[in-house]
C-alpha cells in the first residue's frame, strides 16, 4: 500500500461513527418492535434491520482495523524498512473474509462450521484447477513474510534477471533492468532461485578488481600508485578510501587486488569504469606495463601447455564480482 492510500484520520473517525450507528440499529430494532407492537412495519423489518446492522458493523470494523494497522505499520522510522504490500493485502483479505462469513451466518441462520465446510470444498476444486497460480500466490506470501527484498532494491535472481524491484504482487514480481527493460517473473520461480540483494543491509557495498604488475616494481610503490589513482575516482563512496592488497607473488609478476566502495548498485559499472581508467592512466604515465595473469600456485604446466598459455589472449585487469557484505 502506498502512503497516499493510507486512510486519513477523518476517514477512520467516519468508519467508527458508522460502526456505532450500525450497532445501535442492530441492538435497538427488536426492543423497539416489542415496545411498539402496533407498528407492523417495525415488526416486519426488525429482524432484517438487526442482521443488516451487524453486517455493516462487521465490514466497517474490518475496514477500520485494516486502516489502523496500516497506519501503524507504514509509519517510517529511522533504520526501519517498509512493510511489504502483500502483507497488508493479506491482512485486508483475512479481515473482510471474517466479516463476510459472519454476515452470511447472520442472514442464513447457519453455523459457521457448515459455511466453512461448503466453501472448503469449493476452494479445493478451484485450487486444483489453478494450482500454478496458487503456487505463485503462496510463494508471494512467503516472500512477503521473509522479505528478502523490498520495492526499490537492486536484486539478482539467479539465471532469471537482474534489476530494481518495481512491484511485488500476489502472483508476480516486476523488475526494471539497467537497460530499462521491464521483466515480470512468477513468484514461484523466484522462490526456487538464489537471490542476491545488492541493497541490503545497506545501499553501499565493496567491489574489487585485480591486476598483475611486473615483479621488479616494488610492492610499496605499486600499492601507493594504485591507491592514489583509485582514490581520485569521484563515483565511489566518499570517506572510504580504496584498499590495495597483494594476492599473489612470484618472479613472473605480482598480483594486486584493489577494493573500493560502490554507493549503490546502479552505479557499479560507472565506478568500475572510472577506477580502472584512472589506474590505467597512472600506469601508462609511469611507463609501467601490465603482466599477463599467472597460473595459480600449485598448478604445474609442461612446456607445451605453457607455450599455449603464453599465446592466448588474457585479460590483465579483471573486474571481480561484488563481495559478500
Amino acid at each position: 500500500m502506498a502512503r497516499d492510500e493510507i486512510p486519513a484520520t477523518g476517514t477512520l473517525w467516519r468508519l467508527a461513527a458508522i460502526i456505532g450507528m450500525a450497532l445501535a440499529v442492530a441492538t435497538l430494532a427488536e426492543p423497539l418492535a416489542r415496545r411498539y407492537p402496533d407498528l407492523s412495519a417495525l415488526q416486519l423489518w426488525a429482524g432484517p434491520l438487526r442482521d443488516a446492522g451487524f453486517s455493516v458493523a462487521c465490514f466497517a470494523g474490518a475496514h477500520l482495523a485494516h486502516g489502523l494497522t496500516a497506519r501503524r505499520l507504514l509509519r517510517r522510522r529511522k533504520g526501519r524498512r517498509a512493510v511489504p504490500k502483500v502483507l497488508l493485502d493479506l491482512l485486508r483479505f483475512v479481515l473482510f473474509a471474517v466479516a463476510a462469513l459472519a454476515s452470511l451466518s447472520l442472514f442464513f441462520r447457519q453455523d459457521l462450521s457448515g459455511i466453512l465446510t461448503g466453501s472448503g470444498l469449493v476452494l479445493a476444486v478451484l485450487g486444483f484447477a489453478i494450482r500454478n497460480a496458487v503456487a505463485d500466490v503462496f510463494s508471494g506470501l512467503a516472500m512477503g513474510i521473509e522479505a528478502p527484498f523490498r520495492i526499490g532494491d537492486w536484486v539478482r535472481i539467479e539465471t532469471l534477471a537482474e534489476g530494481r524491484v518495481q512491484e511485488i504482487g500476489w502472483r508476480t514480481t516486476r523488475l526494471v533492468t539497467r537497460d530499462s527493460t521491464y521483466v515480470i517473473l512468477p513468484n514461484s520461480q523466484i522462490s526456487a532461485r538464489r537471490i542476491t540483494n545488492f541493497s541490503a543491509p545497506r545501499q553501499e557495498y565493496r567491489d574489487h578488481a585485480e591486476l598483475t604488475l611486473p615483479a621488479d616494481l616494488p610492492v610499496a610503490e605499486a600499492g601507493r600508485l594504485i591507491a592514489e589513482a583509485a582514490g581520485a575516482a569521484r563515483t565511489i563512496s566518499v570517506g572510504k578510501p580504496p584498499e590495495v592488497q597483494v594476492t599473489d607473488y612470484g618472479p613472473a609478476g605480482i598480483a594486486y587486488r584493489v577494493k573500493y566502495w560502490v554507493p549503490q548498485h546502479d552505479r557499479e559499472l560507472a565506478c568500475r569504469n572510472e577506477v580502472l581508467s584512472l589506474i590505467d592512466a597512472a600506469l601508462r604515465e609511469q611507463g609501467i606495463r601490465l603482466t599477463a595473469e599467472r597460473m595459480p600456485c600449485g598448478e604445474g604446466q609442461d612446456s607445451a601447455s605453457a607455450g599455449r598459455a603464453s599465446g592466448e589472449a588474457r585479460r590483465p585487469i579483471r573486474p571481480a564480482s561484488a563481495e559478500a557484505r
Side-chain angles (χ1 to χ4, degrees):
M1 176 182 290
R3 295 186 64 85
D4 54 358
E5 296 178 2
I6 302 174
T9 304
T11 302
L12 298 180
W13 279 111
R14 284 192 292 271
L15 287 172
I18 292 173
I19 295 173
M21 294 173 59
L23 290 177
V25 171
T27 54
L28 296 177
E30 290 188 347
L32 288 175
R34 290 193 297 267
R35 184 176 182 84
Y36 301 100
D38 297 335
L39 297 177
S40 58
L42 185 58
Q43 297 291 332
L44 180 62
W45 291 99
L49 283 175
R50 182 200 61 186
D51 296 340
F54 280 122
S55 179
V56 171
C58 289
F59 281 100
H63 197 174
L64 178 62
H66 178 266
L68 292 174
T69 305
R71 288 175 63 89
R72 176 75 175 179
L73 294 179
L74 294 178
R75 185 180 303 166
R76 286 298 187 93
R77 296 178 182 176
K78 186 177 181 179
R80 180 180 174 183
R81 309 185 76 189
V83 176
K85 178 179 181 295
V86 67
L87 286 183
L88 296 176
D89 290 341
L90 177 61
L91 175 63
R92 183 197 298 271
F93 174 78
V94 171
L95 290 173
F96 279 90
V98 172
L101 290 175
S103 299
L104 290 175
S105 177
L106 286 172
F107 282 106
F108 293 101
R109 296 290 190 272
Q110 290 186 2
D111 189 7
L112 285 177
S113 59
I115 297 176
L116 291 175
T117 302
S119 60
L121 294 175
V122 175
L123 290 176
V125 175
L126 291 177
F128 181 78
I130 56 173
R131 54 188 179 277
N132 292 332
V134 172
D136 292 335
V137 170
F138 278 101
S139 298
L141 291 177
M143 289 193 301
I145 294 173
E146 295 181 2
F149 51 80
R150 303 290 175 87
I151 294 177
D153 288 355
W154 279 93
V155 298
R156 177 187 295 144
I157 312 298
E158 186 181 24
T159 71
L160 292 180
E162 177 179 336
R164 184 190 294 272
V165 180
Q166 186 78 9
E167 181 181 348
I168 304 173
W170 284 89
R171 291 191 59 251
T172 60
T173 296
R174 303 166 189 264
L175 307 179
V176 177
T177 66
R178 280 198 182 103
D179 299 328
S180 298
T181 304
Y182 207 46
V183 181
I184 303 174
L185 300 173
N187 290 331
S188 59
Q189 293 187 19
I190 297 176
S191 62
R193 301 297 196 280
R194 183 173 62 184
I195 302 172
T196 303
N197 191 337
F198 296 100
S199 302
R202 55 184 180 272
Q203 290 285 334
E204 62 179 7
Y205 60 93
R206 193 159 63 173
D207 198 1
H208 68 269
E210 297 180 356
L211 65 157
T212 304
L213 298 181
D216 56 356
L217 180 65
V219 172
E221 181 180 350
R224 178 186 57 80
L225 183 65
I226 296 172
E228 289 180 356
R234 298 181 178 181
T235 54
I236 64 176
S237 298
V238 180
K240 294 187 176 182
E243 299 178 12
V244 180
Q245 300 174 345
V246 176
T247 60
D248 200 4
Y249 187 90
I254 303 175
Y256 298 88
R257 175 179 296 163
V258 53
K259 297 183 176 181
Y260 53 91
W261 287 89
V262 180
Q264 57 188 38
H265 186 64
D266 57 346
R267 299 178 63 182
E268 178 182 341
L269 296 181
C271 292
R272 180 179 299 168
N273 178 73
E274 185 180 16
V275 168
L276 295 181
S277 299
L278 291 173
I279 294 176
D280 176 74
L283 294 177
R284 292 179 184 275
E285 184 179 353
Q286 298 295 325
I288 302 172
R289 301 183 62 183
L290 295 173
T291 302
E293 292 187 44
R294 299 180 294 112
M295 294 294 293
C297 296
E299 295 186 10
Q301 290 180 303
D302 54 22
S303 58
S305 63
R308 288 194 302 269
S310 62
E312 293 176 354
R314 314 181 76 179
R315 291 186 301 169
I317 296 183
R318 180 178 59 198
S321 59
E323 299 181 359
R325 290 165 286 164

